[in-house]
Amino acid sequence: MTIFNSPILKILQILFYLFPLSFVLGNLVINFIVFLIVLLGMIYFKKDIFEFKNKYLFLTIVSFFILVLFTSYYEFFFVDKNKDAIKSIFYLRYLFFLLIIKALVINNHVKINYFLNVCLLLSLFVSLDIILQSITGQNILGNKTIELIPPGINPEYPKGLKYHTGIFGKELIAGGFISMFATIGIFAI
């Protein structure tokens, strides 16, 4: 990893390492971190983000985003006046996000091992929190287990149906978070 020679690069590195944590903190934080990474990355890398050794990969990725825009606007003008067509422009931020992350990794500005360790530790923390919630009935933050079907109501679930959400409160995303980030984090071992 290179020495921090720019405050913008230092902020980009910190945001990159904290990106998995944003999934714990919520959608607003995810979008804010993506926005900051794109903004600061465009300032730091300028047109260097568009340099690809493999032009076919670049064209494939750009074609995907063009296809999303095209299909959204086709549906908007010819099928149904849908508000989602306007939102499809905002998906382009993920193209720039991908290009900035590629530039960070290719130029050795970030250590992938740090990112993998953060993923592993966060998934371990969420897993332990869910285990605690299943044993005691509440997690570290005091969130109780969500009971979707009370006992005795549905014969398929005689003991009821409960979800352990951990630190995610009422959002039923803990399993998806663990499967996504633990899979990435295992490479840190």
Side-chain angles (χ1 to χ4, degrees):
M1 182 167 82
T2 60
I3 298 174
F4 297 126
N5 55 1
S6 166
I8 293 176
L9 180 60
K10 185 175 184 177
I11 294 170
L12 272 171
Q13 290 169 331
I14 291 169
L15 289 173
F16 175 77
Y17 296 135
L18 292 180
F19 185 65
L21 181 63
S22 67
F23 284 83
V24 173
L25 299 175
N27 201 17
L28 177 69
V29 179
I30 294 170
N31 288 325
F32 184 66
I33 286 182
V34 167
F35 173 75
L36 284 178
I37 287 175
V38 168
L39 181 69
L40 295 174
M42 298 275 264
I43 292 169
Y44 184 78
F45 290 110
K46 297 178 178 64
K47 61 183 177 183
D48 293 340
I49 61 172
F50 297 108
E51 292 178 6
F52 267 80
K53 290 180 182 174
N54 186 350
K55 297 292 183 193
Y56 295 113
L57 178 63
F58 178 72
L59 290 175
T60 303
I61 293 169
V62 170
S63 298
F64 170 75
F65 284 97
I66 289 172
L67 181 67
V68 168
L69 284 172
F70 176 75
T71 55
S72 296
Y73 282 100
Y74 177 80
E75 184 176 338
F76 179 75
F77 288 115
F78 298 113
V79 178
D80 185 23
K81 297 282 185 190
N82 195 345
K83 294 179 184 176
D84 292 338
I86 310 304
K87 293 179 184 178
S88 67
I89 291 176
F90 294 117
Y91 284 122
L92 288 176
R93 72 180 180 253
Y94 295 111
L95 171 64
F96 292 109
F97 178 71
L98 180 66
L99 295 174
I100 305 280
I101 297 300
K102 181 217 48 120
L104 282 170
V105 172
I106 295 293
N107 294 322
N108 292 324
H109 291 308
V110 292
K111 281 197 166 195
I112 297 297
N113 234 10
Y114 291 167
F115 178 77
L116 297 176
N117 285 331
V118 169
C119 290
L120 184 65
L121 290 174
L122 274 174
S123 58
L124 183 66
F125 172 72
V126 171
S127 299
L128 292 175
D129 189 46
I130 289 176
I131 291 170
L132 176 71
Q133 189 178 28
S134 68
I135 293 171
T136 64
Q138 65 181 9
N139 72 341
I140 295 171
L141 301 175
N143 295 332
K144 302 219 183 292
T145 303
I146 295 177
E147 186 171 39
L148 292 180
I149 300 175
I153 299 289
N154 190 336
E156 291 182 36
Y157 305 103
K159 294 183 180 181
L161 182 61
K162 297 180 180 180
Y163 280 104
H164 305 289
T165 58
I167 59 174
F168 296 107
K170 296 185 182 207
E171 295 184 45
L172 305 177
I173 60 170
F177 179 87
I178 292 169
S179 67
M180 183 171 47
F181 285 106
T183 304
I184 296 170
I186 285 178
F187 291 107
I189 298 177

